Amino acid sequence: MVNVDCAGGQDRATTTSETHPYRPPQKTSNCYTSSEGPAPFDSSLCGTSSDRACYRQGGITACKPDNQGGYCNYRNKYYVAQGDLFKELNRKDLLDRYSSGGNTGESSREVNRALNDQERRFTNRIRELQIMGKDPLIQRSGKKDDNQDNEVHSFIGDMLFNVGIGISTIIFLISVCIILIQNKII
């Protein structure tokens, strides 16, 4: 299946509605006029040369998405569709459009989705490691004395083990010498 992009890089599969094919994506709605105007939106025309975004105002490539519904950037002038016509934005309109910081509801939703996805992936990875017996969340005891006692006990245990090996080796060598002397080999 081919992913088709509408004007402004909006993915047709995720930003448009199959039940409302004449409703433009939210971030580029100002690139299209109403259904009576010269540039109505039609999702079936996305990705084709017949897409009428920014009609006579720079075409498909002039459509720039943003949280306020997008705009047409043509020859360093900015246009938005209002009803059946494209209106050029002057400096005051541009300042009013972006002075309040814009509609951050959409971007905060995107951030929250991304954070939730990351948390879900992290939790799933922890569960996978726990199932495989590699618990990444090691439980540590709150007492430091236990760790120090364990270190002392392990040192003494290692020392006693080495002494035992040494004594066993000496006894073995002595018994071999005694056997060789009794058999008059030495």
Side-chain angles (χ1 to χ4, degrees):
M1 183 172 178
V2 178
N3 288 337
V4 178
D5 282 342
C6 296
Q10 302 297 298
D11 181 30
R12 179 173 65 183
T14 59
T15 61
T16 63
S17 171
E18 290 180 10
T19 57
H20 302 289
Y22 302 107
R23 186 178 296 163
Q26 184 178 0
K27 290 189 174 190
T28 58
S29 60
N30 290 334
C31 294
Y32 299 95
T33 61
S34 65
S35 59
E36 293 83 30
F41 177 75
D42 185 353
S43 64
S44 65
L45 298 176
C46 283
T48 67
S49 60
S50 300
D51 192 346
R52 293 182 290 246
C54 299
Y55 183 69
R56 295 186 183 154
Q57 304 299 333
I60 301 168
T61 57
C63 182
K64 306 296 180 197
D66 69 7
N67 287 335
Q68 285 77 26
Y71 58 91
C72 299
N73 184 0
Y74 181 56
R75 296 183 181 167
N76 292 326
K77 293 185 180 180
Y78 301 95
Y79 300 92
V80 292
Q82 290 185 343
D84 298 341
L85 303 171
F86 284 99
K87 177 189 173 203
E88 182 180 348
L89 296 175
N90 57 30
R91 289 181 185 210
K92 183 182 181 309
D93 293 335
L94 285 170
L95 286 174
D96 291 343
R97 183 177 171 92
Y98 294 106
S99 65
S100 65
N103 179 9
T104 58
E106 180 70 22
S107 59
S108 68
R109 271 194 300 257
E110 291 172 1
V111 169
N112 285 339
R113 268 191 210 130
L115 288 173
N116 289 338
D117 285 347
Q118 182 64 28
E119 182 180 3
R120 179 183 43 78
R121 281 190 220 110
F122 187 71
T123 302
N124 288 345
R125 181 66 181 149
I126 289 172
R127 298 289 186 260
E128 288 172 7
L129 290 172
Q130 288 173 337
I131 289 169
M132 292 187 300
K134 301 175 185 176
D135 191 1
L137 304 174
I138 299 171
Q139 302 295 326
R140 293 192 170 100
S141 64
K143 298 179 182 177
K144 292 184 179 179
D145 297 333
D146 291 342
N147 292 338
Q148 291 174 353
D149 288 344
N150 289 340
E151 289 176 16
V152 170
H153 287 290
S154 67
F155 173 73
I156 292 174
D158 290 342
M159 187 175 68
L160 289 175
F161 177 76
N162 291 334
V163 168
I165 294 291
I167 291 174
S168 299
T169 305
I170 291 173
I171 290 174
F172 175 75
L173 291 175
I174 291 174
S175 61
V176 168
C177 288
I178 290 174
I179 292 173
L180 291 176
I181 290 174
Q182 285 177 350
N183 290 334
K184 296 184 184 180
I185 296 176
I186 297 182

